[in-house]
Amino acid sequence: MYQGIIVFRYINFVLEGDLTKHLEDKEIIELYWSRDSSAITVSAEHYGNYCRQIAWNILQNHEDCEECINETWFRAWNAMPDARPNSLKSFLGAITRRLSLDYYRKSHAEKRGRGEISAIYDELQTCIPDSAAAAASKNSKGSDNNVERHLEHLALTAALNSFLSQLDSTSRILFIRRYWYSDSIRELAQNLHLNENRIKSTLFRTRKKLKKHLEKEGIVL
């Protein structure tokens, strides 16, 4: 599975706030573009807890979480002014998630099978291409391999977005919250006021549908 690099267009279905928040985002982004260091302070005030929750769901370790959050602001600072994200919240969340997954892989290289993220990996293993293929091509140095990897990534991202657009709102939210934000089944049940068995059943059916959809799009496991 292409861990940490796929950005779902439909993340904004769950993330986007009201117009006022969107305008505040534009102002914060302008601080980054003008190289005003207060951009980091303001980002932490607005989205620190949000990014921290993403990191905690994956890492379950306070020290690692704080390192990821600090690195998130550093990465955002270096990414702009070249980047001008439409949603700063989505942009920062994606950075935190990638960093958290990197931290997780490094710290669990010899301890796979523990924690929520391992369970999520296991669930997705049957319906999304395995990361081993991506890792193998990543280690290859040829430009042809890089182009092929990029095209595969684009195809998978497009297929996932197409799939998400076909889901009902409940299934879509469950899928994104579980597999993007790494929410536990218990957290999903509490936050969405749904029965845990119903959530497991819905996710299971959604994964089966996703596998069929990817196969139809010519994306083979």
Side-chain angles (χ1 to χ4, degrees):
M1 185 179 65
Y2 294 77
Q3 309 288 5
I5 61 173
I6 296 171
V7 178
F8 299 131
R9 182 180 62 216
Y10 282 87
I11 293 257
N12 288 333
F13 179 88
V14 180
L15 289 186
E16 291 294 353
D18 56 26
L19 181 59
T20 302
K21 178 64 69 177
H22 189 63
L23 291 175
E24 288 178 356
D25 276 4
K26 288 183 178 180
E27 294 171 1
I28 299 171
I29 291 169
E30 286 302 326
L31 292 176
Y32 279 103
W33 274 64
S34 63
R35 311 315 287 162
D36 186 334
S37 60
S38 66
I40 294 177
T41 302
V42 177
S43 295
E45 290 175 351
H46 278 69
Y47 300 121
N49 289 336
Y50 164 75
C51 291
R52 191 168 287 104
Q53 185 61 49
I54 293 174
W56 174 257
N57 284 349
I58 295 172
L59 296 170
Q60 303 285 301
N61 180 288
H62 290 293
E63 183 177 349
D64 288 348
C65 284
E66 291 307 312
E67 288 185 15
C68 277
I69 300 307
N70 291 332
E71 182 70 13
T72 294
W73 314 138
F74 177 74
R75 294 285 181 92
W77 178 265
N78 286 339
M80 292 182 273
D82 290 344
R84 188 181 285 275
N86 292 324
S87 169
L88 184 61
K89 186 175 186 179
S90 303
F91 180 75
L92 295 174
I95 293 175
T96 301
R97 185 173 185 273
R98 286 195 296 269
L99 288 169
S100 298
L101 288 169
D102 286 343
Y103 269 78
Y104 179 87
R105 280 191 287 265
K106 291 175 183 177
S107 64
H108 290 72
E110 297 179 357
K111 298 185 292 184
R112 291 301 298 273
R114 296 182 181 181
E116 194 66 41
I117 196 68
S118 291
I120 291 172
Y121 283 164
D122 291 342
E123 290 174 19
L124 286 178
Q125 191 173 15
T126 60
C127 61
I128 292 184
D130 186 65
S131 58
S137 59
K138 183 176 182 181
N139 290 332
S140 300
K141 296 183 179 180
S143 59
D144 289 343
N145 285 321
N146 291 332
V147 172
E148 183 178 355
R149 257 196 312 122
H150 181 62
L151 293 175
E152 288 175 352
H153 164 62
L154 292 178
L156 180 56
T157 301
L160 284 169
N161 281 324
S162 172
F163 173 73
L164 288 171
S165 71
Q166 300 172 29
L167 295 177
D168 61 85
S169 61
T170 299
S171 297
R172 180 163 55 240
I173 291 172
L174 284 174
F175 188 91
I176 292 173
R177 294 300 318 182
R178 177 64 171 164
Y179 301 121
W180 177 263
Y181 293 105
S182 307
D183 285 358
S184 68
I185 299 298
R186 178 177 296 180
E187 288 171 330
L188 289 172
Q190 292 174 345
N191 294 333
L192 300 176
H193 306 291
L194 297 173
N195 179 276
E196 289 190 18
N197 287 333
R198 178 187 172 186
I199 291 173
K200 292 177 182 178
S201 178
T202 300
L203 289 172
F204 176 74
R205 290 195 302 270
T206 303
R207 292 196 303 272
K208 289 183 65 176
K209 291 178 182 178
L210 175 58
K211 182 178 180 180
K212 290 182 179 180
H213 179 81
L214 293 180
E215 289 174 346
K216 183 179 179 181
E217 294 294 321
I219 298 175
V220 182
L221 295 180

